Amino acid sequence: MAEAFNDKILPAEKAERYATVAQEIASVLAGEPNLTARMATVSSMLAASFDHFFWTGFYVVDPDKREELVVGPYQGTLGCLRIAFGRGVCGTAARERRTQVVEDVDAFPDHIACDSRSKSEIVVPVVDADGRLIAVFDVDAEATAAFDGVDAQWLERILQDTFAG
């Protein structure tokens, strides 16, 4: 199904949909320097563009506790407030600085269940222009195996362009 996004009907094919949303995000954020505004906009626009995105948002590196993530802008049910580096999918992505695509969160070692309805997850590290980790971007789905390499490729690109570009 292709949802309406503002005045646009989004393509049904996943890669085409991401390409369209990426252009929209870049257009909306052109000239906006505020990090919170950028994160809130990315969360909102991606959540509105994919029906299966159950929870969509950022966990930000806490400036006072550099080995801990704190919940940032998101769309969805209540998120975990803090996650230590190395814990769960988000903490693993932060520690390893590598995108995590998890088909079944119940099979992931040390998974943190913020909402028991979440069954699969993708988490992408977010770096700034200097290559410093500033956050991770987390998307959960209620179905297993909801994410794949196309999601990873496009989310990495959107986040790179938005926060390090």
Side-chain angles (χ1 to χ4, degrees), residues 60-70 82-85:
V60 181
V61 176
D62 187 328
D64 297 323
K65 297 179 179 180
R66 300 295 302 168
E67 292 287 311
E68 192 168 274
L69 300 165
V70 62
R82 294 186 171 272
I83 300 172
F85 278 31

Side-chain angles (χ1 to χ4, degrees), residues 2-165:
E3 300 87 10
F5 188 79
N6 291 337
D7 295 342
K8 293 188 180 214
I9 300 297
L10 295 173
E13 197 276 320
K14 187 177 0 183
E16 290 177 25
R17 179 174 291 221
Y18 271 116
T20 300
V21 174
Q23 289 176 344
E24 286 291 308
I25 289 170
S27 175
V28 168
L29 290 177
E32 176 53 61
N34 184 274
L35 189 61
T36 302
R38 295 178 81 75
M39 288 181 178
T41 300
V42 168
S43 294
S44 174
M45 292 179 77
L46 285 168
S49 299
F50 294 91
D51 283 341
H52 68 287
F53 283 20
F54 171 70
W55 196 96
T56 308
F58 291 86
Y59 283 96
V60 181
V61 176
D62 187 328
D64 297 323
K65 297 179 179 180
R66 300 295 302 168
E67 292 287 311
E68 192 168 274
L69 300 165
V70 62
V71 71
Y74 69 92
Q75 301 284 309
T77 60
L78 183 65
C80 297
L81 296 182
R82 294 186 171 272
I83 300 172
F85 278 31
R87 274 217 64 221
V89 183
C90 290
T92 299
R95 169 83 64 223
E96 296 179 4
R97 289 188 175 214
R98 188 171 49 86
T99 297
Q100 305 291 309
V101 178
V102 180
E103 290 186 358
D104 180 358
V105 296
D106 293 328
F108 190 88
D110 198 31
H111 175 255
I112 302 167
C114 299
D115 188 315
S116 63
R117 292 173 289 178
S118 177
K119 299 300 176 204
S120 62
E121 189 170 1
I122 183 169
V123 181
V124 180
V126 180
V127 298
D128 65 13
D130 295 324
R132 287 183 301 248
L133 181 72
I134 57 172
V136 297
F137 184 68
D138 180 19
V139 183
D140 293 10
E142 290 181 290
T144 56
F147 306 106
D148 60 21
V150 173
D151 297 289
Q153 175 188 356
W154 276 101
L155 291 173
E156 288 170 355
R157 180 176 176 180
I158 289 167
L159 296 165
Q160 171 74 23
D161 291 350
T162 303
F163 297 100

